[in-house]
Amino acid sequence: YDLWGDTVNLASRLQESSEPARILVSETTADRLADGYEFGPPLLLDLKGKGLTDARFLVARRSARTTESLST
């Protein structure tokens, strides 16, 4: 399968802007994964072809205990 478009371009720009051995995701992705993962503070990046873009570094996977306490 070939994937093209804005999503792939954003992922590529985020990868280029990331630090070695770290995962940088868009704010939208961080919001969708917030129940299961912890993220660092928001960053505002000036990405080529995208302009100012909100992003966050993935910090850790939430444990089952942490996820349970968030839902109660």
XYZ file of all heavy atoms in Angstrom:
557
model
N 0.835 -1.179 0.000
C 0.000 0.000 0.000
C 0.884 1.248 0.000
O 1.921 1.279 0.643
C -0.888 0.042 1.239
C -1.878 -1.092 1.281
C -1.614 -2.253 1.984
C -3.083 -0.977 0.616
C -2.523 -3.286 2.026
C -4.003 -2.006 0.662
C -3.722 -3.151 1.361
O -4.641 -4.166 1.395
N 0.439 2.253 -0.684
C 1.115 3.543 -0.676
C 0.230 4.544 0.051
O -0.969 4.633 -0.195
C 1.352 4.069 -2.102
C 2.476 3.328 -2.797
O 3.378 2.850 -2.098
O 2.437 3.229 -4.031
N 0.826 5.269 0.970
C 0.112 6.312 1.694
C 0.714 7.656 1.336
O 1.924 7.827 1.365
C 0.223 6.105 3.209
C -0.392 4.828 3.744
C -0.075 4.690 5.214
C -1.890 4.836 3.538
N -0.131 8.604 1.013
C 0.339 9.937 0.656
C -0.600 10.950 1.287
O -1.681 10.620 1.730
C 0.351 10.125 -0.865
C 1.246 9.140 -1.546
C 0.874 7.978 -2.158
C 2.662 9.206 -1.657
N 1.965 7.323 -2.647
C 3.083 8.054 -2.357
C 3.620 10.119 -1.222
C 4.415 7.804 -2.634
C 4.947 9.859 -1.511
C 5.335 8.727 -2.205
N -0.174 12.149 1.312
C -1.054 13.201 1.789
C -0.528 13.879 3.032
O 0.599 13.670 3.479
N -1.376 14.690 3.600
C -1.001 15.542 4.723
C -0.533 14.741 5.940
O 0.429 15.124 6.611
C -2.183 16.441 5.095
C -1.776 17.512 6.081
O -0.830 18.273 5.775
O -2.380 17.581 7.154
N -1.176 13.629 6.241
C -0.808 12.832 7.407
C 0.619 12.315 7.286
O 1.406 12.383 8.237
C -1.783 11.654 7.586
O -3.097 12.166 7.714
C -1.439 10.825 8.797
N 0.977 11.808 6.132
C 2.324 11.291 5.912
C 3.337 12.433 5.926
O 4.423 12.302 6.502
C 2.394 10.502 4.592
C 3.819 10.096 4.272
C 1.497 9.283 4.677
N 2.983 13.563 5.343
C 3.891 14.708 5.358
C 4.133 15.197 6.782
O 5.276 15.498 7.160
C 3.333 15.855 4.503
C 3.336 15.515 3.039
O 4.126 14.707 2.576
N 2.429 16.116 2.301
N 3.088 15.266 7.597
C 3.232 15.687 8.986
C 4.120 14.701 9.746
O 5.021 15.106 10.481
C 1.866 15.809 9.656
C 1.889 16.150 11.145
C 2.606 17.466 11.399
C 0.469 16.196 11.681
N 3.885 13.419 9.590
C 4.696 12.405 10.274
C 6.163 12.531 9.886
O 7.057 12.440 10.736
C 4.176 11.007 9.952
N 6.427 12.766 8.621
C 7.797 12.937 8.155
C 8.460 14.160 8.775
O 9.606 14.105 9.237
C 7.807 13.049 6.625
O 9.117 13.301 6.166
N 7.751 15.261 8.827
C 8.298 16.495 9.419
C 8.532 16.338 10.917
O 9.522 16.827 11.453
C 7.373 17.682 9.160
C 7.162 17.994 7.700
C 8.439 18.431 7.023
N 8.156 18.810 5.652
C 8.862 18.415 4.607
N 9.919 17.652 4.773
N 8.534 18.798 3.397
N 7.626 15.651 11.595
C 7.811 15.412 13.028
C 9.033 14.526 13.270
O 9.816 14.764 14.190
C 6.560 14.781 13.637
C 5.364 15.710 13.795
C 4.126 14.917 14.178
C 5.636 16.800 14.820
N 9.206 13.518 12.435
C 10.370 12.646 12.570
C 11.657 13.434 12.368
O 12.616 13.269 13.117
C 10.286 11.500 11.571
C 11.441 10.527 11.681
C 11.346 9.395 10.677
O 10.570 9.450 9.735
N 12.142 8.372 10.878
N 11.676 14.314 11.385
C 12.856 15.145 11.128
C 13.160 16.075 12.301
O 14.319 16.395 12.555
C 12.646 15.988 9.871
C 12.621 15.208 8.587
C 12.202 16.053 7.393
O 11.906 17.255 7.575
O 12.169 15.506 6.281
N 12.139 16.510 13.025
C 12.295 17.465 14.118
C 12.532 16.797 15.471
O 12.822 17.477 16.451
C 11.046 18.349 14.229
O 10.859 19.071 13.041
N 12.388 15.488 15.519
C 12.521 14.772 16.784
C 13.991 14.649 17.189
O 14.899 14.977 16.435
C 11.894 13.386 16.655
O 11.827 12.766 17.923
N 14.192 14.166 18.407
C 15.521 13.887 18.924
C 15.794 12.397 18.781
O 14.847 11.595 18.751
C 15.599 14.295 20.393
C 15.359 15.776 20.616
C 15.227 16.140 22.080
O 15.418 15.277 22.963
O 14.901 17.309 22.340
N 17.059 11.987 18.727
C 17.366 10.555 18.607
C 16.735 9.749 19.744
O 16.732 10.180 20.901
C 18.891 10.509 18.701
C 19.335 11.871 18.260
C 18.255 12.818 18.720
N 16.179 8.608 19.394
C 15.586 7.652 20.335
C 14.366 8.202 21.077
O 14.000 7.715 22.134
C 16.627 7.150 21.335
N 13.730 9.217 20.529
C 12.504 9.768 21.124
C 11.406 9.780 20.074
O 11.669 9.842 18.878
C 12.745 11.184 21.634
C 13.761 11.183 22.778
C 13.773 12.450 23.531
N 12.562 12.585 24.344
C 12.229 13.710 24.943
N 12.983 14.788 24.820
N 11.137 13.787 25.675
N 10.159 9.753 20.536
C 9.009 9.757 19.638
C 8.265 11.071 19.805
O 7.826 11.408 20.898
C 8.076 8.567 19.935
C 8.829 7.255 19.726
C 6.822 8.643 19.065
C 8.069 6.029 20.181
N 8.147 11.796 18.711
C 7.448 13.078 18.680
C 6.154 12.894 17.906
O 6.167 12.370 16.791
C 8.336 14.123 18.002
C 7.852 15.558 17.948
C 7.709 16.129 19.358
C 8.827 16.402 17.143
N 5.033 13.284 18.518
C 3.737 13.108 17.861
C 2.981 14.434 17.828
O 3.257 15.339 18.606
C 2.864 12.039 18.569
C 3.542 10.682 18.555
C 2.510 12.450 19.984
N 2.019 14.508 16.945
C 1.181 15.703 16.872
C 0.297 15.781 18.112
O 0.056 14.789 18.796
C 0.303 15.655 15.616
O -0.655 14.622 15.729
N -0.193 16.966 18.377
C -1.098 17.161 19.515
C -2.355 16.313 19.341
O -2.870 15.753 20.309
C -1.461 18.647 19.637
C -2.244 18.982 20.871
C -1.435 18.897 22.161
O -0.204 19.048 22.115
O -2.048 18.666 23.215
N -2.834 16.185 18.132
C -4.018 15.359 17.855
C -3.776 13.910 18.241
O -4.612 13.270 18.887
C -4.405 15.450 16.367
O -4.648 16.811 16.040
C -5.635 14.620 16.055
N -2.612 13.392 17.872
C -2.271 12.006 18.225
C -2.130 11.860 19.725
O -2.615 10.889 20.316
C -0.982 11.574 17.504
O -1.204 11.633 16.094
C -0.569 10.165 17.898
N -1.472 12.815 20.377
C -1.316 12.780 21.836
C -2.680 12.771 22.524
O -2.896 12.019 23.479
C -0.475 13.957 22.311
N -3.602 13.577 22.042
C -4.954 13.614 22.625
C -5.645 12.258 22.496
O -6.298 11.789 23.427
C -5.811 14.685 21.950
C -5.405 16.101 22.315
O -4.663 16.288 23.314
O -5.806 17.032 21.590
N -5.495 11.624 21.345
C -6.157 10.336 21.113
C -5.554 9.213 21.949
O -6.240 8.247 22.278
C -6.099 9.972 19.633
C -6.982 10.855 18.792
C -6.962 10.470 17.347
N -7.807 11.377 16.592
C -7.958 11.324 15.289
N -7.321 10.408 14.592
N -8.738 12.183 14.674
N -4.269 9.324 22.272
C -3.583 8.273 23.016
C -3.412 8.582 24.503
O -2.802 7.808 25.234
C -2.196 8.031 22.394
C -2.178 7.560 20.940
C -0.743 7.453 20.440
C -2.899 6.236 20.802
N -3.967 9.687 24.966
C -3.738 10.168 26.335
C -4.175 9.180 27.422
O -3.589 9.171 28.500
C -4.436 11.507 26.539
N -5.163 8.360 27.161
C -5.604 7.392 28.176
C -4.565 6.300 28.419
O -4.503 5.745 29.507
C -6.927 6.738 27.770
C -8.100 7.694 27.874
O -7.969 8.731 28.545
O -9.150 7.396 27.274
N -3.761 5.998 27.423
C -2.817 4.896 27.548
C -1.357 5.294 27.628
O -0.502 4.456 27.928
N -1.055 6.579 27.357
C 0.339 7.022 27.316
C 0.492 8.380 27.976
O -0.446 9.167 28.022
C 0.823 7.111 25.865
C 0.847 5.768 25.177
C -0.276 5.273 24.533
C 1.995 4.988 25.188
C -0.272 4.036 23.925
C 2.019 3.744 24.572
C 0.884 3.273 23.942
O 0.901 2.050 23.344
N 1.695 8.626 28.470
C 2.029 9.928 29.042
C 2.884 10.692 28.030
O 3.730 10.102 27.362
C 2.803 9.748 30.342
C 1.988 9.076 31.425
C 2.793 8.848 32.685
O 3.729 9.614 32.949
O 2.473 7.887 33.383
N 2.656 11.994 27.965
C 3.378 12.845 27.026
C 4.007 14.019 27.763
O 3.530 14.439 28.811
C 2.422 13.363 25.940
C 1.874 12.262 25.085
C 0.701 11.622 25.416
C 2.555 11.854 23.959
C 0.201 10.593 24.652
C 2.069 10.821 23.175
C 0.886 10.189 23.521
N 5.073 14.532 27.184
C 5.736 15.697 27.743
C 4.915 16.944 27.490
O 3.829 16.895 26.907
N 5.450 18.088 27.926
C 4.727 19.348 27.744
C 4.588 19.692 26.261
O 5.383 19.244 25.431
C 5.607 20.373 28.467
C 6.949 19.749 28.557
C 6.745 18.266 28.574
N 3.588 20.494 25.935
C 3.379 20.862 24.532
C 4.541 21.685 23.983
O 5.132 22.495 24.685
C 2.093 21.682 24.549
C 1.708 21.875 25.959
C 2.598 21.075 26.824
N 4.842 21.428 22.731
C 5.868 22.167 22.000
C 5.214 22.838 20.804
O 4.258 22.308 20.239
C 6.959 21.219 21.489
C 7.654 20.338 22.517
C 8.493 19.291 21.807
C 8.511 21.191 23.424
N 5.727 23.966 20.401
C 5.259 24.624 19.186
C 6.417 24.619 18.208
O 7.442 25.270 18.425
C 4.796 26.054 19.485
C 4.106 26.777 18.343
C 2.858 26.019 17.893
C 3.723 28.184 18.775
N 6.284 23.832 17.143
C 7.356 23.660 16.166
C 6.999 24.348 14.858
O 5.847 24.318 14.432
C 7.582 22.171 15.893
C 7.870 21.283 17.100
C 7.921 19.830 16.662
C 9.166 21.695 17.758
N 7.987 24.934 14.223
C 7.792 25.521 12.898
C 8.257 24.492 11.878
O 9.449 24.367 11.609
C 8.586 26.825 12.777
C 8.234 27.601 11.521
O 7.282 27.190 10.813
O 8.899 28.610 11.248
N 7.317 23.719 11.346
C 7.637 22.632 10.436
C 7.585 23.100 8.986
O 6.648 23.804 8.587
C 6.661 21.471 10.628
C 6.616 20.849 12.026
C 5.579 19.725 12.056
C 7.979 20.330 12.434
N 8.570 22.672 8.224
C 8.649 23.010 6.804
C 7.365 22.556 6.093
O 6.943 21.411 6.198
C 9.859 22.317 6.182
C 10.018 22.567 4.709
C 11.213 21.813 4.167
C 11.274 21.908 2.663
N 12.339 21.064 2.109
N 6.744 23.477 5.402
C 5.540 23.162 4.648
C 4.275 23.082 5.489
O 3.192 22.912 4.949
N 4.408 23.159 6.825
C 3.245 23.059 7.708
C 3.045 24.305 8.553
O 1.957 24.576 9.006
C 3.403 21.863 8.665
C 3.420 20.509 8.013
C 2.115 20.140 7.393
C 1.017 20.053 8.415
N -0.312 19.961 7.852
N 4.130 25.038 8.810
C 4.046 26.204 9.689
C 4.086 25.780 11.146
O 4.584 24.708 11.490
N 3.546 26.624 12.011
C 3.555 26.331 13.438
C 2.627 25.156 13.743
O 1.463 25.152 13.346
C 3.136 27.561 14.235
C 4.104 28.741 14.151
C 3.545 29.945 14.897
C 5.475 28.369 14.680
N 3.174 24.176 14.438
C 2.456 22.928 14.700
C 2.666 22.515 16.153
O 3.796 22.501 16.637
C 2.982 21.804 13.774
O 2.851 22.233 12.417
C 2.223 20.511 13.977
N 1.583 22.168 16.840
C 1.672 21.669 18.209
C 2.099 20.207 18.193
O 1.601 19.420 17.387
C 0.313 21.776 18.912
C -0.119 23.216 19.110
O 0.735 24.022 19.532
O -1.287 23.524 18.846
N 3.033 19.867 19.101
C 3.531 18.495 19.181
C 3.934 18.189 20.615
O 4.062 19.092 21.442
C 4.712 18.313 18.242
N 4.122 16.900 20.898
C 4.565 16.443 22.224
C 5.456 15.214 22.061
O 5.266 14.424 21.149
C 3.377 16.052 23.098
C 2.500 17.204 23.508
C 1.359 16.693 24.370
N 0.465 17.762 24.729
C 0.351 18.252 25.965
N 1.059 17.740 26.942
N -0.473 19.227 26.212
N 6.392 15.055 22.993
C 7.191 13.840 23.037
C 6.457 12.786 23.857
O 5.883 13.088 24.902
C 8.557 14.099 23.685
C 9.556 14.704 22.749
C 9.928 16.025 22.887
C 10.123 13.954 21.729
C 10.855 16.591 22.026
C 11.041 14.507 20.866
C 11.409 15.835 21.009
N 6.477 11.549 23.368
C 5.959 10.418 24.123
C 6.925 10.157 25.270
O 8.135 10.078 25.062
C 5.861 9.187 23.223
C 5.442 7.883 23.884
C 3.997 7.955 24.336
C 5.643 6.736 22.926
N 6.389 10.019 26.489
C 7.233 9.808 27.664
C 7.182 8.355 28.122
O 8.208 7.727 28.334
C 6.816 10.754 28.816
C 7.587 10.446 30.086
C 7.006 12.204 28.402
N 5.975 7.806 28.290
C 5.844 6.444 28.804
C 4.440 5.910 28.572
O 3.504 6.677 28.368
C 6.142 6.413 30.303
N 4.347 4.607 28.640
C 3.031 3.963 28.605
C 2.456 3.999 30.016
O 3.167 3.774 30.991
C 3.186 2.524 28.139
C 1.894 1.825 27.902
C 2.117 0.462 27.321
N 0.850 -0.008 26.791
C 0.729 -1.014 25.973
N 1.783 -1.673 25.582
N -0.445 -1.361 25.534
N 1.193 4.298 30.127
C 0.550 4.315 31.445
C 0.354 2.877 31.922
O 0.018 1.995 31.141
C -0.817 4.992 31.382
C -0.737 6.468 31.094
C -2.128 7.080 31.236
N -2.159 8.437 30.755
C -1.817 9.504 31.485
N -1.425 9.341 32.723
N -1.881 10.711 30.976
N 0.541 2.655 33.198
C 0.298 1.339 33.765
C -1.203 1.132 33.895
O -1.982 2.086 33.880
C 0.966 1.202 35.134
O 0.342 2.066 36.063
N -1.616 -0.110 34.077
C -3.038 -0.414 34.255
C -3.580 0.312 35.471
O -4.697 0.832 35.458
C -3.248 -1.919 34.387
N -2.791 0.410 36.533
C -3.223 1.089 37.760
C -3.459 2.569 37.478
O -4.451 3.125 37.893
C -2.188 0.926 38.860
C -2.615 1.648 40.140
C -1.560 1.674 41.184
N -1.248 0.328 41.627
C -0.093 -0.007 42.188
N 0.847 0.876 42.357
N 0.126 -1.241 42.579
N -2.555 3.203 36.764
C -2.708 4.623 36.452
C -3.939 4.848 35.579
O -4.717 5.760 35.819
C -1.461 5.153 35.693
O -0.311 4.900 36.503
C -1.575 6.621 35.419
N -4.142 3.993 34.608
C -5.295 4.128 33.718
C -6.593 3.946 34.503
O -7.546 4.681 34.310
C -5.215 3.088 32.580
O -3.973 3.270 31.908
C -6.346 3.258 31.598
N -6.616 2.980 35.431
C -7.819 2.752 36.231
C -8.123 3.955 37.108
O -9.270 4.371 37.239
C -7.654 1.502 37.102
C -7.700 0.230 36.320
C -7.335 -0.986 37.169
O -7.290 -0.856 38.407
O -7.091 -2.034 36.585
N -7.109 4.547 37.725
C -7.340 5.681 38.612
C -7.825 6.890 37.825
O -8.546 7.731 38.357
C -6.079 6.031 39.401
O -5.063 6.499 38.557
N -7.445 7.028 36.560
C -7.902 8.145 35.746
C -9.375 8.000 35.388
O -10.069 8.987 35.191
C -7.072 8.240 34.455
C -5.646 8.702 34.611
C -4.929 8.616 33.278
C -5.578 10.122 35.137
N -9.864 6.789 35.294
C -11.239 6.581 34.872
C -12.230 6.573 36.033
O -13.419 6.497 35.825
C -11.365 5.276 34.087
O -11.028 4.181 34.915
N -11.751 6.659 37.261
C -12.661 6.648 38.401
C -12.801 8.008 39.021
O -12.104 8.918 38.774
C -12.181 5.671 39.504
O -10.855 6.026 39.881
C -12.245 4.247 39.002
